[in-house]
Amino acid sequence: MRDLIAVGDLAPDFTLPDQNNRRVNLAALAADRQVLLVFFPLAFTGNCEGELALIRDREPEFDNESLTTVALSVGPPPTHKVWSSAQGFLFPLLSDFWPHGAVAQQYGVFSEQHGYPLRGTVLVDRDRRVRFSDVAEPGAPRDETVWERALSLA
């Protein structure tokens, strides 16, 4: 795992498919508003479900005129489609499936040992500069204060 992307760094651009197989591009999103990138290990797991449910349940804080939120993991779009439909996740779940975890690697949140991203949270501004970055230790849930700290900068 490389070092976590630092505040002030230029966020690497990417285009990934969402759960509906639509292509989502970071630069295009950031041109309109700030973007909160929420990396998660795997769909259909308890901690990930709880964290993304928090975003779903507090949608106006995570998707508004100044901020949009996308979640990223290595699962394929069909898996994300089934999971998002079952959980009512309306925000994009992006598939960093192939090359396996390439975007997570660029952001320094990919665990080579586990083969999936750790719980990384990165806020990107309209100039694609990183305003906030945090990653939980392997196996650890995201500290709930991470949401408040990231949202306070959005």
Side-chain angles (χ1 to χ4, degrees), residues 18-69:
D18 71 4
Q19 68 266 37
N20 298 307
N21 226 17
R22 290 184 296 228
R23 310 293 289 171
V24 176
N25 175 258
L26 176 63
L29 290 176
D32 190 40
R33 49 195 166 157
Q34 294 186 85
V35 182
L36 186 64
L37 305 175
V38 178
F39 292 90
F40 66 96
L42 297 167
F44 296 101
T45 59
N47 281 338
C48 297
E49 192 170 296
E51 290 175 347
L52 297 189
L54 181 141
I55 295 169
R56 176 199 63 212
D57 295 346
R58 294 170 51 187
E59 181 187 5
E61 295 174 65
F62 289 90
D63 188 19
N64 52 58
E65 62 191 28
S66 63
L67 176 72
T68 190
T69 298

Side-chain angles (χ1 to χ4, degrees), residues 69-105:
T69 298
V70 297
L72 303 88
S73 190
V74 294
T79 299
H80 288 167
K81 175 81 172 178
V82 171
W83 192 47
S84 65
S85 293
Q87 296 301 318
F89 299 149
L90 302 178
F91 49 89
L93 297 184
L94 305 184
S95 175
D96 192 11
F97 184 71
W98 197 258
H100 189 73
V103 173
Q105 290 174 30

Side-chain angles (χ1 to χ4, degrees), residues 73-150:
S73 190
V74 294
T79 299
H80 288 167
K81 175 81 172 178
V82 171
W83 192 47
S84 65
S85 293
Q87 296 301 318
F89 299 149
L90 302 178
F91 49 89
L93 297 184
L94 305 184
S95 175
D96 192 11
F97 184 71
W98 197 258
H100 189 73
V103 173
Q105 290 174 30
Q106 290 180 303
Y107 282 80
V109 299
F110 188 78
S111 171
E112 294 285 342
Q113 178 184 359
H114 297 97
Y116 53 70
L118 302 174
R119 289 178 176 84
T121 309
V122 179
L123 179 64
V124 178
D125 71 15
R126 294 185 65 190
D127 296 321
R128 275 199 15 244
R129 292 285 170 192
V130 174
R131 297 199 60 213
F132 176 86
S133 64
D134 184 85
V135 65
E137 293 297 318
R142 200 177 316 254
D143 178 343
E144 284 194 28
T145 65
V146 165
W147 303 122
E148 303 312 320
R149 291 183 286 144

